Amino acid sequence: HTLFPYTTLFRSHAATFWPDAAGVVRLRDLVDECSLEVYGGDGEAVISDMIFPQSSSDELLLDTTGGDAMLASVEVFRVLL
């Protein structure tokens, strides 16, 4: 499986990792105002980059390539400093 966390007009990032023994692919995305970190599996694949979204942005898009995926669970935590 290849992880494509985001694509912009100027760049895209990809990392390869595999499902666990149960066939489950685990992603952990950490997003703040100007950075994105995506961890695949148990940290076998990591992508980290600066992002500059519009102030009105309030969505995160996940997409698959070469197969189907079922989103089993999502946890969202808001951190206030």
Side-chain angles (χ1 to χ4, degrees):
H1 294 272
T2 301
L3 167 67
F4 292 94
Y6 70 96
T7 302
T8 67
L9 182 60
F10 302 106
R11 65 178 179 248
S12 66
H13 296 278
T16 301
F17 65 100
W18 303 105
D20 64 16
V24 175
V25 173
R26 299 183 189 284
L27 295 177
R28 181 173 189 177
D29 299 346
L30 304 175
V31 182
D32 69 14
E33 291 183 11
C34 64
S35 67
L36 169 69
E37 295 183 12
V38 181
Y39 300 89
D42 288 323
E44 298 96 340
V46 178
I47 294 174
S48 181
D49 206 348
M50 299 294 294
I51 58 173
F52 302 98
Q54 296 179 5
S55 61
S56 61
S57 296
D58 64 356
E59 297 178 352
L60 178 64
L61 173 67
L62 300 174
D63 196 9
T64 62
T65 300
D68 295 327
M70 180 183 73
L71 186 61
S73 67
V74 175
E75 291 183 81
V76 178
F77 302 93
R78 184 177 190 99
V79 177
L80 301 174
L81 299 175

